[in-house]
Amino acid sequence: NVYPGINETLEAVALDTDNNQLFKVPISELVGKLPTQTGIKYLVLDGIITQRLLDGAKQASIEYVIGHRIANLSNREGITLKTFTELGVI
């Protein structure tokens, strides 16, 4: 239910374990915001999951990252990555 609200906005939404929205930011600000956040379970973004984003998500103890595409990443362990297509959203 987050996808329609962020599709084509270049924004990211962080959700807690109860799917409550913690914040919504432009993707350009996302990596800088992650180290100061806690309690994020899901990170949903209108963009590509990059290594830099993955590293920031791991640092913030995020369990799931969902985006349009997944870049060629090293060390994906400890976090679940999904695309909207894999989830059947688009």
Side-chain angles (χ1 to χ4, degrees), residues 1 9-10 15-16 24 27 29 33 41 50 55-56 58-59 64 66-67 70-71 74-76 78 80 82-83 88:
N1 62 355
T9 65
L10 295 177
L15 305 171
D16 66 12
K24 183 176 188 177
I27 289 178
E29 299 173 15
K33 186 167 182 74
K41 182 167 185 173
T50 64
D55 294 342
K58 284 183 178 182
Q59 199 172 34
Y64 299 89
I66 303 156
I70 301 171
S74 62
N75 191 10
R76 299 167 60 151
T80 302
K82 294 288 184 185
T83 65

Side-chain angles (χ1 to χ4, degrees), residues 12-89:
V13 174
L15 305 171
D16 66 12
T17 55
D18 296 322
N19 292 329
N20 296 312
Q21 183 173 313
L22 299 174
F23 64 82
K24 183 176 188 177
V25 296
I27 289 178
S28 60
E29 299 173 15
L30 181 59
V31 174
K33 186 167 182 74
L34 289 178
T36 64
Q37 301 299 310
T38 59
I40 302 168
K41 182 167 185 173
Y42 304 99
L43 185 63
V44 184
L45 61 134
D46 179 41
I48 299 169
I49 302 169
T50 64
Q51 187 67 53
R52 186 168 166 244
L53 175 66
L54 178 61
D55 294 342
K58 284 183 178 182
Q59 199 172 34
S61 300
I62 296 170
E63 295 179 37
Y64 299 89
V65 180
I66 303 156
H68 280 288
R69 289 194 352 245
I70 301 171
N72 189 11
L73 305 172
S74 62
N75 191 10
R76 299 167 60 151
E77 296 162 16
I79 194 162
T80 302
L81 307 177
K82 294 288 184 185
T83 65
F84 294 118
T85 303
E86 288 176 320
L87 296 175
V89 176

